[in-house]
Amino acid sequence: MITFALPKGRLAEKSAALLAKCGVDTAVLNEDTRKLVLESADGRCGFFLVKPADVPAYVEAGVADLGIVGKDTLIEEGRDLYEMLDLKMGECRLSIAGYPERRDVLTNPHLRVATKYVNTARRIFADREEIEIIPLHGSIELAPVTGLADVIFDVVQTGSTLKANGLVVLEDVYTGITARLVANKVCLKTKAEELLPLIEKLREAVK
Amino acid sequence: MSIKNLPQGVQDILPQECRVLWDVRERLTRAFEARGYAPVLSAAVEYYDTYAGIRNALPQERMFKFTDSDGRLLVLRPDATLSISRIAATKLPEPRARLYYFLDKWDAQSAGGGRTREIIQAGVERLGEEGAYSDAQTIAFAIDCMRETGLNDCILDVGHVGYMKGLLEECGLSDAQAEEVRASLNAKDGLNAERLLRGAGAGEETLSAVRALPTLFGGAEVFARAGRLTANARALAALAHLEKVHRILADMGYEKSVCFDLGTGKSLSYYSGIVFSGLVKEVGAPVLSGGRYDTLADDFGKHIPAVGFAIGLKRVLVALERQGNLPPQPASDVAVCCEEGAEGEADCLIKRFIAEGKRTTLAAEYGKDALKGVAAAEKYFVGKGGAEKL
């Protein structure tokens, strides 16, 4: 049996559709249920539905063989796993954003950065300047609007939320942030006969 | 802070689990001794300077550090191979030695995600030997050792650092850039590796080889694919070496337990040749890890080519439990109690059973009630008039 850790939220439907296209029986994912562990009718696949940020943990531990997760989460979590494929969906950027008229805040020695990507922010600012990180879990744009932070470091998809709040992108730090197929390092080798044909199908499907 | 709790990432091992651990240690000791390896122990505490200055050092944030009474910085053994390499270069009379150890190591950083900071391990080092035959023997013995612990369906995943290094050396990367590329490739993140290499001005031939690198794993068929990708002498030498190792392993009957991955580049910089990991599907991380480190001892003043591996015993226990292969917990074969005044008789009886090789329990209280709740196949009561079986 192949077990998948799949992200709830914006990538959920696209992930299920992609797997279905590659012959995985995903009917069970469309059922309205509160169960967290699901098994396909043919018994060949198991699915865990987890918060996107938790996908790498399940795959690194080998609890799930494969996972689908955004590159932003992979950068932030820094887990020891294989990144098999760029699934080319959910594309966005990881950017620093703030008010256009306060661009000089980037040279302020004590820049206050609001973000949910705490590790990544610490890393990218490490060589640049001293910062104070303000960890937040959502609605990051609110932080500069209310004066909680000078800038934010967050994913930017269309930029409409930024625009609506009078913020602009000051710097794109990582572009081409897309969903990736990740694999547990041991499972890829020990369950190669099961996993490799599926990975090949996925590779073809996203070409 | 409760005084009952331990710091993060360390564990007590309670009797039931400890018995299995000791059982595994005994099996491995027998296997090591049967192959002529000699035991060694290194000091658990060493000077930080020993490892800070050398190019193969572990990152300092991963070492547990404390200060000696004279103010010098000390570390808790961060790596067994480093210590044994130091011993070999500075204390052993001969450069050749086959050693085994049961040495724990401490990693200040790796707590969380099923990893511990105190790592219980067994391992072997073959010092002063080189060549494909030595490598193949080490790999075969690694498989034997995994099986010896009681594990089923073990796979040894073998790579060679020379292949990736060869591909990358043509790009003229700085050490820091090369490390970043290695880390990406080790995660099979070909996209990021390609981005970094493009930035460093790598040629199209290198890029297409690097693009293929994350897919170069499987059986012996990967050698042909890997060979077509490059003309680099170092990479091709690594391939030729692996093919030879594979030929020897096939001849020794280990072919089915071995697979190859040319995209591995372990983070420990001391590896210089083959690298390998022992895998079982029940555990999501390697239970065994090793490789060749021919230049490590140079930093301690002597050139001693060497190869070795370490087995993570905690992971072995987890795998044994998940495979349903835990050895049974033995109860006492015999339990003995006595009445006051018959202590000498009872002691003689116990010693007779022990001489017969039985596992025994002698009650601490007097009377037959003392054996209530004691699990044993046979129970005896010793009175002044003699022993009776209960």
Side-chain angles (χ1 to χ4, degrees), chain B residues 188-225:
Chain B
K188 299 211 182 292
D189 182 2
L191 296 170
N192 195 41
E194 193 177 333
R195 185 181 66 81
L196 293 165
L197 287 169
R198 233 180 246 288
E204 201 45 50
E205 192 187 330
T206 307
L207 286 177
S208 73
V210 166
R211 233 174 268 140
L213 206 45
T215 67
L216 287 177
F217 64 92
E221 73 281 354
V222 296
F223 299 142
R225 271 170 63 210

Side-chain angles (χ1 to χ4, degrees), chain B residues 44-320:
Chain B
V45 176
E46 296 185 68
Y47 285 118
Y48 172 72
D49 288 352
T50 310
Y51 299 120
I54 62 178
R55 69 196 141 87
N56 291 309
L58 296 160
Q60 68 151 321
E61 65 272 20
R62 296 184 62 169
M63 296 191 214
F64 274 98
K65 296 186 272 309
F66 42 108
T67 30
D68 206 347
S69 49
D70 62 1
R72 287 189 69 179
L73 206 51
L74 305 174
V75 291
L76 205 50
R77 186 190 300 118
D79 186 87
T81 300
L82 281 170
S83 303
I84 289 171
S85 185
R86 172 182 58 75
I87 291 172
T90 59
K91 293 185 178 161
L92 294 186
E94 299 290 331
R96 259 174 194 270
R98 288 184 182 173
L99 304 175
Y100 75 85
Y101 60 81
F102 292 92
L103 288 175
D104 301 348
K105 67 171 182 177
W106 288 270
D107 183 339
Q109 223 186 17
S110 71
R115 286 167 298 187
T116 54
R117 301 205 286 180
E118 182 174 45
I119 297 135
I120 308 165
Q121 48 174 21
V124 303
E125 311 291 355
R126 298 163 68 110
L127 301 148
E129 46 188 85
E130 294 180 87
Y133 191 28
S134 168
D135 287 351
Q137 282 185 38
T138 309
I139 290 169
F141 188 48
I143 297 167
D144 289 343
C145 286
M146 285 173 72
R147 290 178 182 156
E148 199 58 47
T149 62
L151 291 173
N152 295 332
D153 303 325
C154 311
I155 292 177
L156 217 71
D157 189 34
V158 184
H160 193 300
V161 297
Y163 187 75
M164 192 193 287
K165 279 190 178 160
L167 291 187
L168 297 183
E169 76 184 356
E170 309 210 319
C171 312
L173 301 172
S174 69
D175 284 355
Q177 285 172 319
E179 172 58 24
E180 202 177 340
V181 172
R182 185 207 57 73
S184 298
L185 288 172
N186 203 36
K188 299 211 182 292
D189 182 2
L191 296 170
N192 195 41
E194 193 177 333
R195 185 181 66 81
L196 293 165
L197 287 169
R198 233 180 246 288
E204 201 45 50
E205 192 187 330
T206 307
L207 286 177
S208 73
V210 166
R211 233 174 268 140
L213 206 45
T215 67
L216 287 177
F217 64 92
E221 73 281 354
V222 296
F223 299 142
R225 271 170 63 210
R228 284 194 294 273
L229 289 170
T230 180
N232 177 279
R234 188 174 182 186
L236 291 177
L239 272 184
H241 185 87
L242 275 182
E243 287 193 80
K244 197 166 174 196
V245 170
H246 172 253
R247 206 245 342 128
I248 299 167
L249 284 169
D251 197 51
M252 292 167 73
Y254 287 89
E255 195 177 14
K256 285 208 168 67
S257 302
V258 181
C259 63
F260 295 91
D261 189 343
L262 294 167
T264 29
K266 293 200 181 194
S267 57
L268 271 179
S269 53
Y270 58 60
Y271 287 118
S272 61
I274 57 153
V275 286
F276 49 88
S277 302
L279 316 174
V280 286
K281 69 172 182 295
E282 289 77 10
V283 184
V287 296
L288 178 150
S289 175
R292 174 162 285 286
Y293 51 96
D294 287 346
T295 58
L296 179 57
D298 293 12
D299 288 317
F300 297 111
K302 225 186 221 178
H303 180 70
I304 307 175
V307 61
F309 60 81
I311 304 169
L313 295 180
K314 178 74 189 183
R315 285 182 184 164
V316 168
L317 296 195
V318 172
L320 284 174

